[in-house]
Amino acid sequence: MKLALVGDIGGTNARFALWRDEQLESVRVLATADYPGPEQAIRAYLSELGLAPGAVGSVCLACAGPVDGDLFRFTNNHWRLSRSAFCRELQVRELLLINDFSAMALGMTRLRDDERLPVCPGTAEIERPCVVIGPGTGLGVGTLLALADGSWLALPGEGGHVDLPIGSPREAELWQQLYRQLGHVRAEDVLSGSGLLLLYRTVCALDGHEPRLSSPAEVTAAALAGDAVAVAVLEQFCCWLGRAAGNNVLSLGARGGVYIVGGVVPRFAELFLASGFTRCLRDKGRMSDYFEGIPVWLVTAEYPGLMGAGVALQQALGRS
């Protein structure tokens, strides 16, 4: 494949890299707020590397949101993209747009052993689906399937927008507090960076604490320092993530394994590994035994979405 460019564009950051010989080169992270659109961000990226538009023949962008048609509106930032205008402006021959969690799922196929931590032991059944789920700016959910020809299929979806699952009286009380603020309560409303702060404020309101933390980073830092309220918030966050992941496993028959990804959970990995995540993952009544033997990993790789975008481009151009 000729020199190509891959991007992983979320709500806050856009990650770009060159893709050559099935490897990432020259990774850069740009703030989406600093550019009016993806064309301007990519021009700045290429300029930094001394490359002009037209230097890359193919581009794959992993984008947050459903991908369809010529015009794409990014879900969690102000950017818009017209496929035809993009290709003209940057002199690109092939443009592949894929859902960001399709890219994340494909990135799991290139993980090294030191880029994931075991959460639940087990043996992946290679012919069965894998669930890829992770809180970041939003909550992403993807499905990964191994195909008979050795390639991979990533199924896009909008699983972060399903209803927040309720599995205990305490969670029902928290849900009622959330419902009074939001109306419909999505999983993403809690299981995301901003959702962590919302959950903290909701716990404080329910339990009569004066909220003193004002950002997700402060909640995480307070929990790591032993603050009892913040620890309880992270514990509930992990339990809800377990319930959401478990629902996906049952819906998909995902005995191929579960990958926990995204930028939020690795920041408190030790607390996560000691949390009620596994208990809530498997808390499915008569179907609880279904989870025996399904492996779960916490992914610590730095750029799995970019790697997955490269894999998608390889497969799309028939060079895998």
Side-chain angles (χ1 to χ4, degrees):
M1 184 192 296
K2 181 185 174 182
L3 182 66
L5 182 145
V6 293
D8 179 16
I9 302 172
T12 305
N13 293 313
R15 300 163 183 84
F16 297 111
L18 300 180
W19 179 258
R20 179 163 30 203
D21 298 328
E22 301 191 36
Q23 297 296 327
L24 300 174
E25 297 180 4
S26 305
V27 176
R28 301 288 188 276
V29 181
L30 306 181
T32 56
D34 291 345
Y35 300 90
E39 294 91 345
Q40 292 81 7
I42 290 173
R43 278 184 175 274
Y45 169 76
L46 292 174
S47 177
E48 181 183 344
L49 300 180
L51 298 174
V56 294
S58 304
V59 174
C60 178
L61 300 180
C63 309
V67 178
D68 188 28
D70 180 72
L71 181 63
F72 177 79
R73 293 178 174 85
F74 291 79
T75 299
N76 291 324
N77 66 45
H78 63 284
W79 285 4
R80 294 186 178 188
L81 184 151
S82 162
R83 295 175 193 254
S84 54
F86 179 97
C87 290
R88 284 196 306 271
E89 181 170 337
L90 295 178
Q91 302 173 40
V92 169
R93 186 176 64 255
E94 295 113 352
L95 171 62
L96 177 64
L97 296 184
I98 63 173
N99 177 267
D100 61 335
F101 255 73
S102 292
M104 186 68 78
L106 289 170
M108 301 303 98
T109 69
R110 298 294 185 91
L111 287 180
R112 302 191 308 265
D113 287 343
D114 64 349
E115 293 179 320
R116 62 185 188 182
L117 299 174
V119 179
C120 301
T123 301
E125 297 180 16
I126 190 64
E127 73 281 3
R128 303 295 291 275
C130 302
V131 168
V132 183
I133 182 170
T137 302
L139 176 65
V141 183
T143 305
L144 181 67
L145 292 167
L147 301 181
D149 64 0
S151 63
W152 298 87
L153 176 64
L155 302 179
E158 294 299 322
H161 298 276
V162 302
D163 299 338
L164 182 70
I166 301 171
S168 71
R170 169 69 172 179
E171 290 174 359
E173 291 176 338
L174 289 168
W175 181 90
Q176 288 180 321
Q177 290 277 347
L178 291 163
Y179 180 79
R180 282 193 281 270
Q181 299 175 67
L182 304 174
H184 177 237
V185 185
R186 306 168 300 167
E188 179 174 280
D189 291 325
V190 168
L191 297 174
S192 59
S194 60
L196 180 59
L197 181 61
L198 175 62
L199 180 57
Y200 166 74
R201 291 171 172 165
T202 303
V203 167
C204 288
L206 182 62
D207 295 342
H209 302 297
E210 183 66 30
R212 59 180 185 80
L213 306 174
S214 57
S215 71
E218 288 184 11
V219 176
T220 299
L224 293 174
D227 179 89
V229 174
V231 168
V233 169
L234 286 194
E235 172 67 17
Q236 182 59 63
F237 185 95
C238 294
C239 287
W240 254 323
L241 181 57
R243 296 196 192 283
N247 285 351
N248 277 278
V249 169
L250 290 181
S251 295
L252 296 166
R255 298 197 59 83
V258 178
Y259 295 88
I260 308 301
V261 298
V264 174
V265 177
R267 295 172 183 166
F268 50 87
E270 289 188 14
L271 284 176
F272 173 76
L273 294 173
S275 74
F277 169 87
T278 299
R279 171 178 55 80
C280 292
L281 173 84
R282 298 172 171 174
D283 183 19
K284 302 300 180 188
R286 68 180 64 186
M287 291 302 296
S288 296
D289 290 346
Y290 185 85
F291 292 83
E292 289 300 322
I294 298 178
V296 180
W297 300 277
L298 173 61
V299 175
T300 58
E302 195 168 12
Y303 301 115
L306 278 178
M307 183 63 76
V311 173
L313 195 56
Q314 291 281 152
Q315 294 192 157
L317 297 180
R319 306 287 204 274
S320 58

